[in-house]
Amino acid sequence: MRDHTVTIDRSTSPSTITYADNFNVAVSFIDRHLDEGRADKIAIYPVGGDPVTYGDLAKNVNRAGNGLTALGLSAGDRVLMMVKDSAHFYFLFWGAIKAGFVPVPINTLLRAKDYQFMIEDSGCAAVIYSPEFAGEVEPALEAANPKPAYYFRTEGNGKTLVGLMADAGNDLDTASATPETPCFWLYSSGTTGTPKGAIHLHRDMVVTSEQYGLRTLGITEDDICFSAAKLFFAYGLGNGMTFPLWVGASAVLYPGPPMPDATFDTIENYKPTIFFGVPTLYGAQLKALAETNRDLSSLRVCVSAGEALPADIFNRWKEKTNTIILDGIGSTEALHIFISNLEGDYKAGTSGRMVPGYDARIIGDDGEEVAPGDSGQLMIRGQSTASHYWNNPEKTASTMVDGWLNTGDTYIQDEDGYYLYCGRNDDMLKVGGIWCSPFEIEAKLIEHPKVLEAAIVGREDDENLTKPEAFIVLNDPVDANDDTKGTLLTHCKEGLAKYKYPRWINFVDELPKTATGKIQRFKLR
Ligand code: 3UK
């Protein structure tokens, strides 16, 4: 095989992937398209900006890589990027990889103290950020000790990425690497503790793009992908960048907050064929669609991840838009979705079946695989999982065990073989000695037309026994009264096992959530 190439055999399931010994993944995702005649095809539609062809993309990736090299970075140096969804994100990410540096996309919704932690923890050589995030990034740089050698904005006055690229050449030698060389990091979202840098290898994006993007979702060159989840999430990175690039398709990038109206405008204007969202957004979009009609007819399929998609949202979306939402579970450590529904094989309310190339085990308290139909800890194995956490041998040892990744989730494989999410291990409740899934109660409450969102946490009763407590956001705040409480209690008692109804109901204006939109139940406890 030539240097930096990969061969794929699709006659097998999973696809059989063979890498050149000297393999830099930037060649597969960027340069390959020039050889395959796509130089004039649009790779990126930045909303409000000029489209970027595959030819422009390859050239600008080279310029960014040359610019970073000219700064004086050394092989393996980390480049933290707080960059909005834009063509610059692509240029910087791939330019760094092709030149032998390690990009670290960072959540742009965080605060200065989070950034300071990541700057110090990563020991990065450079921090490059969109001007929009200067208000949080610059105080972090000010406070950081040690400071990175280089830090500047993507665009604007003074030293910038744009300036660096303008002074750089169009040709760049590809840095040597192997499929197992560290390629990029992602900080895990840290619902419970400090963020951990998950180290991903050159092969990881190939695996997710091939086994999930192509084989599971069936993305083709003719698709246009639009991800409401941002590129700095592992979920968005696949949806909005690596999956379309892998097959020579196109991505629509929206730089702002993904509110329902903005996502609808983007869909109407750019006519994407695949939309990637999260359950909370689908819920908010459905609420908006009750008042206005929007043309979503370009969509052939939608995807949901990040938290379990309630069957009720699946059903209402299907009724309203005539498209299905494929729920799948992924994680930062696995890089993308490893259990998923398919267009031709789905079951609402479940995460679906294994993605080709991944294995799962559901483990009981005794460390052994549980009997079919019983719940336990979900462990998964695949070729895209992070090799380790940066500077965190204890977390690495407890999460990555003998090649298996402990997801931290409780799952059941149902009688039809679909994987059913039962909650985070730490969120599961024992009620009357029986496991009780907070998610199941929430899904029941959300079914009710008066309920917008709901969260269930464990609360101790007079006898110090844990019982479920509900925090509910109503569609209309005027319903916050005892009548509604009674209605919702009856609704739960009718639809759930007896012990599962919420013993307390609180109406709240909003639920505490992580930047990724997951409910922070620990804050409610
Ligand atoms: C939960 C789900 C039920 C689950 C992610 C797709 O969410 C992603 O990564 P994170 O590291 O969180 C991982 C955890 O989130 N979760 C995710 N999806 C589902 N629970 N049903 C789902 N469909 O607790 C998991 O362990 O933020 C999602 C692709 C890439 C990702 N990184």
Side-chain angles (χ1 to χ4, degrees):
M1 230 190 285
R2 280 171 46 206
D3 255 13
H4 302 300
T5 56
V6 57
T7 53
I8 310 282
D9 176 0
R10 295 195 173 118
S11 66
T12 59
S13 180
S15 301
T16 305
I17 306 172
T18 313
Y19 306 90
D21 294 339
N22 187 13
F23 173 73
N24 183 314
V25 69
V27 173
S28 297
F29 280 91
I30 304 293
D31 300 303
R32 171 172 58 97
H33 296 295
L34 304 185
D35 298 341
E36 293 181 0
R38 273 185 211 97
D40 294 329
K41 180 168 180 186
I42 305 286
I44 315 171
Y45 293 97
V47 170
D50 295 331
V52 178
T53 63
Y54 274 93
D56 295 336
L57 175 59
K59 187 180 76 188
N60 283 300
V61 164
N62 287 349
R63 286 182 167 276
N66 281 325
L68 293 173
T69 305
L71 282 178
L73 300 190
S74 310
D77 274 352
R78 274 79 63 200
V79 179
L80 262 53
M81 38 191 292
M82 294 80 160
V83 178
K84 65 186 174 194
D85 279 20
S86 59
H88 287 140
F89 186 109
Y90 277 51
F91 303 160
L92 183 56
F93 184 85
W94 293 105
I97 291 173
K98 189 172 175 189
F101 313 124
V102 177
V104 186
I106 304 280
N107 183 340
T108 60
L109 304 167
L110 297 180
R111 298 293 174 201
K113 70 169 183 16
D114 308 303
Y115 293 138
Q116 185 187 343
F117 173 84
M118 291 169 182
I119 290 166
E120 293 173 351
D121 179 68
S122 65
C124 58
V127 175
I128 302 176
Y129 52 99
S130 300
E132 286 84 345
F133 313 125
E136 299 293 334
V137 176
E138 286 173 359
L141 287 161
E142 190 66 37
N145 180 24
K147 288 191 209 313
Y150 313 98
Y151 45 93
F152 46 88
R153 303 179 179 196
T154 50
E155 59 220 275
N157 295 325
K159 182 179 189 129
T160 61
L161 176 67
V162 169
L164 207 63
M165 288 173 62
D167 295 336
N170 281 337
D171 299 307
L172 169 64
D173 287 339
T174 306
S176 303
T178 75
E180 271 98 41
T181 303
C183 181
F184 66 102
W185 299 5
L186 293 170
Y187 274 91
S188 70
S189 48
T191 313
T192 47
T194 47
K196 307 166 296 251
I199 299 183
H200 280 287
L201 310 180
H202 272 257
R203 67 170 180 217
D204 296 359
M205 293 182 284
V206 173
V207 173
T208 54
S209 302
E210 177 66 23
Q211 312 295 16
Y212 174 76
L214 193 147
R215 296 297 294 257
T216 302
L217 204 47
I219 295 190
T220 74
E221 194 173 350
D222 298 327
D223 276 312
I224 302 175
C225 301
F226 172 37
S227 177
K230 299 292 174 195
L231 295 173
F232 61 75
F233 297 120
Y235 179 47
L237 191 83
N239 307 336
M241 189 168 73
T242 67
F243 302 166
L245 286 182
W246 184 241
V247 297
S250 311
V252 178
L253 299 182
Y254 179 72
M259 307 303 279
D261 277 329
T263 60
F264 293 146
D265 289 345
T266 304
I267 293 168
E268 287 178 343
N269 292 336
Y270 290 87
K271 311 219 177 311
T273 54
I274 310 181
F275 176 73
F276 301 84
V278 297
T280 308
L281 176 59
Y282 286 114
Q285 287 174 316
L286 278 166
K287 202 177 167 190
L289 288 175
E291 327 237 287
T292 45
N293 267 325
R294 293 300 210 132
D295 178 11
L296 309 182
S297 59
S298 66
L299 300 176
R300 66 173 177 82
V301 68
C302 299
V303 176
S304 177
E307 60 180 320
L309 180 74
D312 186 56
I313 292 186
F314 174 96
N315 290 328
R316 286 191 288 136
W317 185 266
K318 190 170 174 212
E319 200 164 300
K320 191 86 198 172
T321 71
N322 240 324
T323 58
I324 57 171
I325 306 175
L326 298 176
D327 188 11
I329 176 176
S331 74
T332 305
E333 289 79 359
L335 188 55
H336 215 274
I337 289 171
F338 46 82
I339 296 177
S340 179
N341 287 285
L342 299 171
E343 272 187 88
D345 176 19
Y346 60 84
K347 184 169 177 180
T350 78
S351 307
R353 304 182 195 276
M354 290 318 292
V355 169
Y358 296 87
D359 303 310
R361 304 169 68 198
I362 298 177
I363 302 294
D365 291 339
D366 57 2
E368 300 295 319
E369 242 172 286
V370 300
D374 284 353
S375 70
Q377 306 222 106
L378 180 71
M379 312 280 290
I380 64 122
R381 186 169 65 178
Q383 295 293 303
S384 65
T385 57
S387 66
H388 60 289
Y389 294 118
W390 175 251
N391 260 346
N392 205 333
E394 299 87 48
K395 261 285 165 198
T396 299
S398 62
T399 309
M400 294 144 187
V401 190
D402 297 332
W404 291 85
L405 184 71
N406 186 347
T407 62
D409 297 302
T410 301
Y411 261 86
I412 290 175
Q413 193 174 19
D414 75 10
E415 63 277 10
D416 303 319
Y418 295 95
Y419 285 85
L420 183 66
Y421 176 76
C422 305
R424 291 291 299 173
N425 298 340
D426 34 18
D427 283 330
M428 287 291 282
L429 310 175
K430 280 240 172 134
V431 179
I434 314 170
W435 282 116
C436 176
S437 155
F439 178 74
E440 188 189 353
I441 309 171
E442 291 162 11
K444 178 52 65 185
L445 283 165
I446 293 163
E447 263 176 37
H448 198 278
K450 288 191 170 165
V451 176
L452 177 64
E453 288 182 300
I456 295 286
V457 297
R459 171 168 160 185
E460 288 190 1
D461 64 14
D462 294 342
E463 297 174 292
N464 295 329
L465 294 169
T466 301
K467 295 284 182 295
E469 174 174 28
F471 292 84
I472 294 172
V473 182
L474 293 168
N475 273 310
D476 189 345
V478 303
D479 287 327
N481 53 44
D482 284 344
D483 276 357
T484 305
K485 284 188 186 177
T487 308
L488 293 177
L489 261 185
T490 310
H491 173 74
C492 284
K493 286 183 177 175
E494 279 171 0
L496 293 168
K498 262 278 164 54
Y499 62 92
K500 290 181 176 170
Y501 71 91
R503 309 307 194 267
W504 307 270
I505 292 182
N506 309 285
F507 295 122
V508 292
D509 291 336
E510 57 182 328
L511 297 173
K513 291 198 185 130
T514 64
T516 52
K518 278 191 256 300
I519 296 168
Q520 294 171 303
R521 294 191 185 78
F522 69 96
K523 288 209 172 149
L524 295 168
R525 278 185 205 123

